[in-house]
């Protein structure tokens, strides 16, 4: 039982991925509210809201960045515009481009939108013009000129019967276009900065506009005049009028007056009463933000990473969607504005990752950001944790998986707790006494009693945790360092605590790793130094079962060290660049390492062998962690990708065993079919096994049966098209070997005779197969020709030998017997395919047997199944029929009649040998031409 549990791992496969899907630009939600459409370079990704996964992706073939896109109101059509000045219409569910046309704009398209009927498409260009397209009849209907600079906003009036279009450009005015006359009806002037969004009332008589000049304006569209200007004291990127006749009392709406919601640079949603210009509600950020100090809040600027760039309304489900400057998409539920879902569009470089929660259902991720991200693996729903004020560098998780620690460039460490029921994460402890960035952190292994941090100030600190940490409320504990020790001469890159909490290991940029004792009261005592790496040590890790330490270094190696004498036990070389992480798996019998080359390698310690190399990243793999069950691991890279891997060793082993068992059963079935002479089923089974040699065995068995040609023809023609295709592929291989060429040529003769060239050329790779047949077939023909020449010489020698025994008075030249032998000198042994002398029918002449054994032609071409002398006999008959020669009637007069049948059989065999290669080569040439 123990040996089964300690079975070495052999392979991992990708279980799931968290990839960037949004890198800025437009975001749109489908009308059925199931999908989010967003740009990512040259692609438009379609994110399914329920699963958080990208299910469709459309991409321009020219790899040009997409500058804008629009989804029709019926969710059927998607139109994209790229820097190549092309507009493409997509069937986005099939990811197929159905139409492409020139945008006519002289510069890229900056904005576009559909009308409510999904027939008109408006595009605003960087050249200051607006084009109107009829996507059904496929032509340009309007060319609206007059805007100054980039037209960054176009929007139809919701009442399509008015045929009005609103646009805004760099002049900060809102132009109202009459599509009947193609004229600008008026310019609504109120803003002094870029107009960012427009929102209409249900009746279409009132419109509100927002701008980066920190104001919102309410417009009366009957008079085209401004009714009210509301100062909102932040750059506003999105505005939405609240629906009428709904209860929004939870967010400060106390009457039926016009109210609207704004989203902007402060990163919060606010509700305003238009008539009084009062802010009646300000969103409170989630509990994860409570760690932000008041001083930090006062220092907030308009470029805050939490600032909002889009505000979208989902009316059917009464939700709002916001997009942050850090490419996060957050869904809120009205009327309480409670956070429902969060999706991270882009994470930049991922610096560390750890499994978290019950059954490792979540992962916590440190990116090139001051926020932590906690992903639920099942839905990709994300919690964003605010607390650190600079980039988070490292993470570690306590044994039970609900507490974890983080450290950052802000010189602080934090401890976070996940609620086991709601999975909400809060900061419960905070400590800061390092004098430089904290680059590594590790947690106690036995219980949540302390954490250890390593910093760029060359010190390690031990922080004690309070006992009631797991039950604390909103209060954040302030941590103090129990012990501080100057550990190295350069940055401390990694720290690790032993499984019994008594030892501490540290790895540094000074090329050494050190072992420390944690048992002393308030002190950290040095026990020894591990020297041997040629460059800085990136990671250290204790074995879970042995007294050894693993280290990985920038010199491209990983090493195992003994804790007793601090000697190097093993060195693992294989990465082409720095080895950034190392962990133990398989109960300490194997290692996983990740490097700057983007590779993850699995090592078996006992053999020093790299069992598997996993390649799923394009940049440095900073994060590597295994789950508690040891059947999964997660990797995180500077390419923004997070990959969850699943151990498939047992699955692959079971599959291999099942495959072998199935092969044995099929081989047995094949033997039974051959024994029962069910050649068609046997041939089909052999082809399904994809075993050319087995198929050849069946073909040979068929050709040994009496009437083999008709049986072979009947059997082959009953095969399916895909089986014939495989058979043709096998024939190409068989034809390269002289031993098997006859079988290949017999199969080819049937295929070429009964299948039209058009059908043959439909086979996959047929042209290449036919071209491959020609040179070998011609070579076989040349060899047969040489054999015929040799046989003629042998026959001549034989005749001379017979004449030499005649009376001396006989004229040899005139009396030489050139008639075909009544009984062939060599005969075909159908069991062995070899020639044998037949002395009984040669009038007692013993020289025939000796000639048979010493035949040079037979030894040279022993792969051919037809004997040389049969060809010679055939040639004799050809000479007899073609030339007037004298025969010796004294020799074979008695045996000629009795051997007619055997002569016919010999003649037929030679014809097959001569005709098969010739016809196959000729037919190949004909089919290819």
């Amino acid at each position: 039982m123990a040996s089964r549990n300690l079975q070495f791992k052999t392979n991992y496969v990708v279980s799931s991925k968290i990839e960037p899907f949004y890198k800025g630009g437009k975001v749109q939600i489908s009308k059925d509210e199931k999908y989010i459409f967003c740009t990512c370079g040259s692609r438009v990704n379609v994110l399914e809201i329920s699963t958080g996964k990208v299910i469709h992706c459309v991409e321009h073939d020219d790899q040009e960045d997409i500058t804008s896109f629009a989804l029709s109101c019926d969710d059927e059509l998607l139109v994209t515009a790229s820097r190549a000045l092309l507009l493409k219409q997509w069937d986005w569910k099939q990811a197929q481009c159905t139409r492409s046309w020139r945008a006519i704009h002289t510069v890229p398209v900056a904005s576009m939108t559909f009308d409510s009927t999904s027939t008109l498409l408006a595009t605003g260009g960087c050249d200051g013009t607006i084009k109107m397209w009829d996507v059904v009849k496929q032509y340009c209907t309007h060319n609206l000129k007059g805007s100054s600079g980039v037209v960054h906003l176009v929007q139809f009036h919701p009442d399509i019967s008015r045929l009005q279009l609103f646009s805004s450009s760099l002049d900060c005015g809102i132009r109202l276009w009459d599509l009947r006359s193609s004229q600008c009806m008026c310019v609504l002037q109120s803003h002094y900065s870029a107009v960012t969004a427009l929102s209409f009332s249900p009746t279409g008589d009132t419109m509100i506009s927002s701008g980066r000049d920190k104001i919102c304006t309410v417009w009366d569209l009957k008079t085209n005049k401004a009714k009210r200007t509301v100062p909102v004291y932040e750059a506003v990127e999105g505005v939405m009028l609240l629906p009428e006749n709904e209860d929004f009392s939870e967010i400060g709406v106390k009457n039926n007056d016009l109210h609207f919601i704004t989203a902007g640079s402060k990163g919060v949603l606010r509700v305003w009463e238009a008539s009084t210009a009062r802010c009646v509600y300000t969103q409170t950020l989630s509990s994860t933000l409570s760690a932000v100090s008041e001083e930090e809040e006062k220092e907030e600027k308009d470029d805050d990473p939490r600032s909002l760039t889009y505000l979208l309304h989902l009316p059917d489900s009464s939700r709002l969607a916001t997009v942050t400057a850090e490419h996060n998409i957050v869904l809120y539920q009205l009327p309480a504005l409670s956070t429902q879902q969060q999706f991270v569009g882009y994470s930049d470089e991922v610096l560390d990752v750890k499994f978290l929660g019950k059954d490792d259902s979540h992962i916590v991720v440190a990116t090139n950001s001051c926020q932590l991200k906690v992903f639920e693996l099942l839905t990709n729903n994300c919690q964003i944790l605010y607390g650190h004020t600079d980039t988070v560098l490292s993470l570690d998780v306590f044994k039970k998986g609900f507490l974890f620690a983080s450290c950052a460039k802000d010189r602080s460490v934090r401890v976070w707790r996940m609620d086991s029921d709601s999975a909400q994460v809060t900061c419960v402890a905070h400590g800061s006494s390092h004098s430089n960035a904290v680059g590594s952190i590790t947690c106690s292994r036995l219980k949540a009693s302390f954490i250890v941090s390593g910093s760029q100030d060359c010190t390690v600190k031990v922080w004690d945790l309070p006992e009631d940490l797991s039950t604390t409320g909103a209060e954040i504990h302030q941590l103090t360092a129990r012990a501080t020790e100057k550990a190295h001469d350069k940055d401390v890159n990694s720290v690790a605590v032993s499984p019994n909490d008594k030892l501490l290991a540290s790895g540094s940029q000074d090329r050494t790793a050190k072992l420390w004792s944690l048992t002393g009261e308030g002190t950290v005592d040095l026990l020894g130094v591990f020297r041997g790496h040629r460059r800085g040590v990136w990671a250290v890790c204790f074995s879970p079962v042995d007294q050894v330490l693993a280290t990985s270094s920038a010199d491209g190696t990983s090493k195992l060290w003994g804790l007793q004498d601090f000697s190097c036990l093993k060195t693992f070389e294989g990465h082409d660049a720095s080895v950034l992480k190392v962990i133990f798996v398989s109960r300490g019998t194997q290692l996983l390492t990740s490097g700057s080359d983007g590779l993850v390698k699995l090592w078996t310690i006992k053999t020093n062998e790299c069992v598997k190399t996993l390649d799923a990243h394009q940049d440095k793999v900073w994060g590597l962690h295994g789950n508690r069950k040891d059947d999964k691991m997660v990797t995180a890279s500077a390419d923004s990708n997070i990959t969850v891997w699943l151990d498939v060793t047992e699955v692959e082993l079971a599959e291999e065993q099942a495959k072998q068992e199935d092969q044995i059963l099929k081989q047995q079935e094949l033997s039974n079919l051959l024994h029962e002479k069910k050649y068609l089923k046997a041939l089909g089974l052999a082809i399904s096994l994809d075993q050319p040699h087995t198929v050849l065995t069946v073909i040979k068995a068929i050709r040994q049966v009496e009437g083999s040609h008709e049986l072979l023809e009947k059997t082959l023609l009953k095969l399916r098209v895909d089986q014939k295709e495989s058979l043709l592929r096998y024939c190409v291989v068989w034809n390269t070997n002289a031993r098997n060429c006859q079988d290949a040529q017999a199969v080819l003769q049937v295929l070429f005779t009964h299948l039209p060239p058009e059908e043959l050329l439909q086979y996959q790779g047929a042209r290449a197969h036919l071209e491959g047949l020609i040179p070998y077939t011609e070579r076989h023909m040349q060899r047969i020709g040489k054999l015929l020449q040799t046989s003629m010489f042998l026959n001549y020698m034989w005749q001379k030998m017979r004449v030499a025994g005649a009376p001396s008075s006989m004229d040899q030249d005139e009396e030489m017997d050139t008639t075909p032998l009544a009984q062939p000198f060599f005969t075909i042994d159908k069991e062995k395919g070899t020639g044998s002398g037949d002395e009984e029918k040669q009038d007692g002449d013993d020289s025939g047997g000796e000639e048979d054994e010493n035949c040079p032609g037979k030894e040279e071409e022993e792969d051919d199944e037809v004997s040389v002398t049969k060809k010679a006999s055939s040639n004799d008959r050809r000479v007899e029929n073609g030339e007037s020669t004298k025969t010796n009637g004294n020799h074979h007069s008695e045996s000629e009649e009795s051997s007619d049948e055997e002569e016919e059989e010999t003649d037929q065999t030679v014809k097959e040998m001569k005709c098969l290669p010739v016809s196959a080569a000729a037919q190949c040439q004909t089919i290819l031409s």
Side-chain angles (χ1 to χ4, degrees), residues 795-806 817-821 842 845 847 888 890-892:
N795 183 64
Y796 175 76
M797 293 294 296
W798 168 241
Q799 296 295 343
K800 286 296 185 182
M801 291 171 64
R802 292 171 56 192
V803 171
D817 185 4
T818 58
T819 59
L821 296 177
Q842 294 297 327
D845 194 342
S847 63
N888 188 349
N890 296 328
H891 285 136
H892 298 289

Side-chain angles (χ1 to χ4, degrees), residues 406-431:
S406 63
C407 61
K409 284 185 178 180
D410 60 7
R411 308 175 186 179
S412 72
V413 297
R414 288 182 180 270
V415 179
W416 308 78
R417 179 170 60 86
M418 170 184 275
D419 185 89
S420 57
D421 297 324
S422 65
Q424 292 298 313
V425 180
T426 54
C427 181
V428 293
H430 169 256

Side-chain angles (χ1 to χ4, degrees), residues 519-585:
T519 56
E521 290 294 331
T523 61
V524 179
D525 301 322
L526 179 64
L527 297 179
V529 181
F530 305 97
R531 291 187 174 90
H533 283 295
R534 300 186 304 276
R535 298 186 67 182
V537 178
W538 275 114
V540 293
C541 182
F542 283 98
S543 169
V545 292
D546 297 320
Q547 293 189 9
V548 295
L549 179 77
T551 60
S552 64
S553 167
D555 61 11
T557 66
S558 301
K559 292 179 181 288
L560 281 185
W561 309 84
L563 300 184
Q564 302 295 333
D565 55 2
F566 311 107
S567 63
C568 179
L569 304 177
K570 285 181 180 289
T571 300
F572 303 90
E573 299 183 45
H575 286 278
D576 295 330
S578 300
V579 186
L580 303 176
K581 283 280 185 177
V582 58
I583 61 172
F584 284 89
V585 292

